[in-house]
Amino acid sequence: MAAAAPPLLVFTDLDGTLLDDAYGFAGAELALAQLAEQHIPLILATSKTRAELTGLAAQLPGVPGLIFENGAGITCPGSEGPQTTLFGPGYAALLATLKSLGPSAAPFEGFAALGAARVEALTGLAPNAVPLAMAREASEPGLFHGDEKALARFRAALAPHGLRAVHGGRFLHVMPERDKVDGLRALATLLAPEAATLALGDGENDRAMLETATFAVVMPRKDGTCLALKRAEGVTIAPAPGPVGWGPAVLALLRALPPSP
């Protein structure tokens, strides 16, 4: 007998959402266990690389798919195992494009230019985790040292190459014209087209995913601010940043779901 389709698919951001500053998920354990018990898939939707997610996904229950590098790549189940799809020109070509832009790209300092030591200092990652964060496949995060006018020029220069610049937490991400929401749609169609979707996130790079999902949980930031969505229906604000707020928010949503037939 085929397994029953899940009533819900959960798409979650990581940093500041499911993960705390120490890259742990203390406070979310009960909700994670409840998702596993109800066979509800958990999809990681993040700016992190696929290399970073491999170990993390193994620690979490029921992760059938990944949306990595802000949607520039997705991994989904396939007949012969996980299948990964990358979008855009690829990392090497993206770096070459940035170099070709000259003055327009000068205020942008990507991971490749920052180097491992500065990436470690900026992110607080352990030294052995830094190479995983720098194992980019389709996008380049970094620092932007210019003002809003310089950022507008940078974005205008990227556009003819099918690239854009999106804020995600502490970094500006140069990436193809893809978004986490594209991954949400693709994986939802593949995994359970009739299921409701829940998205959780705290950053501008989560906006489209939060606006599109059936239910959205906006995670407050440590400074007390929250991302403001255009929608109001189906939206809740988590009680706290990180996994301490993620857990109760997910449990509340699960309690509100109609019972499975």
Side-chain angles (χ1 to χ4, degrees):
M1 181 183 297
L8 181 71
L9 300 172
V10 178
F11 294 81
T12 184
D13 177 45
L14 292 179
D15 293 334
T17 300
L18 178 55
L19 297 182
D20 57 25
D21 289 344
Y23 298 99
F25 42 84
E29 297 95 337
L30 185 58
L32 290 167
Q34 192 68 34
L35 291 177
E37 183 179 325
Q38 296 183 222
H39 304 289
I40 293 174
L42 177 68
I43 296 97
L44 309 182
T46 173
S47 60
K48 292 184 182 296
T49 65
R50 183 161 58 111
E52 288 180 281
L53 294 180
T54 302
L56 179 62
Q59 301 175 50
L60 297 167
V63 179
L66 305 172
I67 301 168
F68 57 92
E69 296 189 39
N70 283 322
I74 61 172
T75 296
C76 56
S79 58
E80 299 180 2
Q83 303 292 313
T84 294
T85 302
L86 300 175
F87 304 96
Y91 188 57
L94 186 152
L95 292 183
T97 295
L98 285 172
K99 186 175 181 180
S100 74
L101 296 182
S104 297
F108 179 73
E109 193 176 18
F111 271 23
L114 288 167
R118 289 183 67 195
V119 169
E120 180 182 342
L122 288 165
T123 60
L125 288 169
N128 62 349
V130 173
L132 302 180
M134 297 183 71
R136 316 304 302 182
E137 296 181 83
S139 69
E140 177 74 329
L143 301 175
F144 193 79
H145 303 292
D147 58 17
E148 288 299 319
K149 289 184 178 179
L151 180 57
R153 289 193 294 270
F154 183 45
R155 285 176 164 149
L158 289 171
H161 301 276
L163 298 172
R164 61 191 189 124
V166 181
H167 286 290
R170 73 199 90 182
F171 297 115
L172 186 72
H173 297 256
V174 176
M175 56 180 291
E177 291 287 349
R178 295 283 299 185
D179 197 286
K180 291 182 181 183
V181 73
D182 297 303
L184 181 150
R185 291 181 177 125
L187 284 163
T189 298
L190 178 66
L191 296 171
E194 303 303 319
T197 54
L198 166 62
L200 303 98
D202 69 330
E204 188 62 39
N205 57 335
D206 300 310
R207 176 181 294 280
M209 183 173 73
L210 292 166
E211 296 280 11
T212 301
T214 312
F215 307 104
V217 172
V218 177
M219 303 298 299
R221 307 179 184 106
K222 287 196 294 183
D223 63 4
T225 62
C226 285
L227 188 69
L229 300 184
K230 295 178 182 178
R231 65 183 285 194
E233 186 176 354
V235 177
T236 58
I237 307 296
V244 174
W246 191 97
V250 170
L251 288 173
L253 193 283
L254 292 178
R255 287 194 294 268
L257 286 178
S260 299

